[in-house]
Amino acid sequence: PSNKMMVATDGILLLAPRPVKNKNERNLPIDLFFTSLAEVHQSYAIGVVLSGTASDGTLGLKAIKDQGGITFAQDEESAAYEGMPHSAIQAGIVDFILPPESIPEKLLEVTKIINVNGADEAYLPLEDEEVFRQIIALLRIRKGTDFTYYKQTTIRRRILRRMALNKNEESAAYLKYLRENKPEQDLLYQDLLIQVTSFFRDHKSFDNLCETVFPLIVKNK
């Protein structure tokens, strides 16, 4: 509908009023939708950018990836308008680059791996619990960072994400692959750090600290 944009909220898709912008500002409905999807569904979000002009969708896919979700883009060769997929691919935030006809099958494959292994994260089988502990121990030895006391549901979802990307349906198979593949250790480590370090990359938070919090602390000393 005219002057409406789609957003996700509490598991529901809503049509919201289009934000009022200056003449020089572009409306980016895909970015808005993907960002809202990432905020609501976090690591469960999946974004797909298809043929389109300009760069709409890139920031939204980044938001999904930052939350541990899965990102897709149509390959540029098959796109009638390559602007949107090209922008996302160049930003380095796309997990799968595929022609449209191959995307549904890959979506089913990825979601199956995640859903089967993460169906009930609070009550994982003992063997899976042990595998997750070994993965965390491996990263501690390899990277010097101990993720034991981080939010475990988030850590597990990130591990499941890497399993899905590497087509490892069993956690034990992924552990074996991880031990033999140092580049994958690096990628998993970066995935785990994205959300943990997001605060330190938030310029608004630091600006607020500098402009409001720190002066108040100094004033009250």
Side-chain angles (χ1 to χ4, degrees):
S2 177
N3 293 319
K4 297 289 185 180
M5 301 182 80
M6 184 178 289
V7 295
T9 175
D10 294 331
I12 300 172
L13 298 180
L14 294 178
L15 289 176
R18 186 184 294 272
V20 177
K21 292 182 176 290
N22 297 326
K23 290 183 178 180
N24 295 328
E25 290 184 300
R26 291 184 298 138
N27 281 305
L28 301 171
I30 308 301
D31 280 334
L32 179 65
F33 173 60
F34 281 170
T35 300
S36 69
L37 199 66
E39 290 173 352
V40 173
H41 296 287
Q42 300 181 349
S43 61
Y44 293 91
I46 297 176
V48 182
V49 165
L50 299 174
S51 173
T53 58
S55 62
D56 194 11
T58 298
L59 293 177
L61 282 191
K62 183 180 184 303
I64 289 175
K65 195 173 180 70
D66 284 350
Q67 290 290 348
I70 305 290
T71 57
F72 288 76
Q74 179 176 353
D75 67 309
E76 296 177 54
E77 292 77 14
S78 67
Y81 302 96
E82 63 181 33
M84 285 171 55
H86 175 78
S87 175
I89 293 167
Q90 288 300 304
I93 53 172
V94 179
D95 295 315
F96 297 103
I97 304 168
L98 299 166
E101 62 271 17
S102 300
I103 291 176
E105 181 180 354
K106 181 59 69 173
L107 271 170
L108 291 173
E109 176 187 301
V110 167
T111 53
K112 177 185 175 184
I113 293 173
I114 292 177
N115 291 337
V116 167
N117 288 280
D120 191 344
E121 294 164 346
Y123 300 98
L124 288 171
L126 290 177
E127 58 269 25
D128 284 344
E129 286 279 9
E130 179 58 28
V131 168
F132 281 120
R133 281 195 289 268
Q134 290 185 44
I135 290 173
I136 290 173
L138 176 62
L139 291 179
R140 182 174 64 247
I141 294 169
R142 172 86 163 81
K143 293 292 188 178
T145 301
D146 188 356
F147 291 101
T148 301
Y149 301 105
Y150 289 56
K151 186 178 179 182
Q152 289 304 295
T153 53
T154 300
I155 297 298
R156 288 168 179 169
R157 288 291 300 180
R158 297 296 172 116
I159 293 172
L160 290 173
R161 177 182 183 278
R162 294 305 312 172
M163 287 173 58
L165 295 180
N166 288 287
K167 302 180 181 179
N168 295 122
E169 296 190 8
E170 301 292 335
S171 56
Y174 179 67
L175 174 60
K176 182 177 184 296
Y177 175 73
L178 192 66
R179 283 172 170 161
E180 298 170 351
N181 193 314
K182 287 188 176 181
E184 177 60 22
Q185 295 173 21
D186 295 335
L187 291 170
L188 174 59
Y189 179 72
Q190 291 301 320
D191 261 17
L192 296 181
L193 282 183
I194 285 175
Q195 188 65 18
V196 172
T197 62
S198 61
F199 169 79
F200 300 102
R201 292 179 278 109
D202 186 341
H203 296 293
K204 290 183 179 179
S205 295
F206 276 93
D207 289 343
N208 185 54
L209 283 174
C210 294
E211 296 170 6
T212 306
V213 179
F214 291 155
L216 190 61
I217 292 174
V218 173
K219 181 180 178 181
N220 293 332
K221 285 190 68 175

